[in-house]
Amino acid sequence: MGVEVSGVILVEDIVIGENLAESADTFYLDPVAIVEAYRYAELIAGFDVVALIHTHPRGVQPSYADLKGMELWPLTWIIVDVGSCSARAWLRDEEKVKEVPVELV
């Protein structure tokens, strides 16, 4: 949850979703959890769901599943590499996926 100020997304709170996949290399976030996150954000004055943040075991490029998810959930997707703790952010703009700046503080 957070706000967008002058084109900059400020993440203020994180809702953790359960991995429904039965594999350590695959992640499937329950769509109900995403809907619940939107409901939670509505209860906090001025907050919106501004990003979907998740980890990858190796690398920060969007996976095929991420690309499909971006079609359903048109948010900024922040991917964190668990090995290096580096992060990159991605946004689907019409039919293209583009990298957007991210700074973790």
Side-chain angles (χ1 to χ4, degrees):
M1 271 34 66
V3 293
E4 184 174 339
V5 179
S6 301
V8 176
I9 294 173
L10 303 172
V11 177
E12 299 285 341
D13 194 4
I14 295 175
V15 174
I16 298 175
E18 180 183 357
N19 184 3
L20 298 181
E22 295 185 13
S23 166
D25 292 332
T26 305
F27 188 83
Y28 176 69
L29 180 59
D30 184 355
V32 173
I34 296 175
V35 171
E36 289 174 355
Y38 275 95
R39 287 186 184 144
Y40 174 69
E42 289 175 4
L43 297 175
I44 301 173
F47 277 21
D48 293 310
V49 175
V50 293
L52 194 151
I53 304 168
H54 68 286
T55 60
H56 280 189
R58 293 169 299 283
V60 291
Q61 293 293 120
S63 67
Y64 177 78
D66 294 335
L67 296 173
K68 298 308 277 180
M70 288 177 192
E71 293 175 9
L72 296 172
W73 307 102
L75 301 165
T76 297
W77 285 53
I78 300 172
I79 302 173
V80 180
D81 179 315
V82 295
S84 68
C85 292
S86 62
R88 290 171 71 184
W90 307 90
L91 182 63
R92 183 177 209 88
D93 183 13
E94 296 177 16
E95 293 301 313
K96 295 181 182 177
V97 174
K98 63 179 182 177
E99 185 172 4
V100 294
V102 63
E103 180 181 348
L104 303 178
V105 291

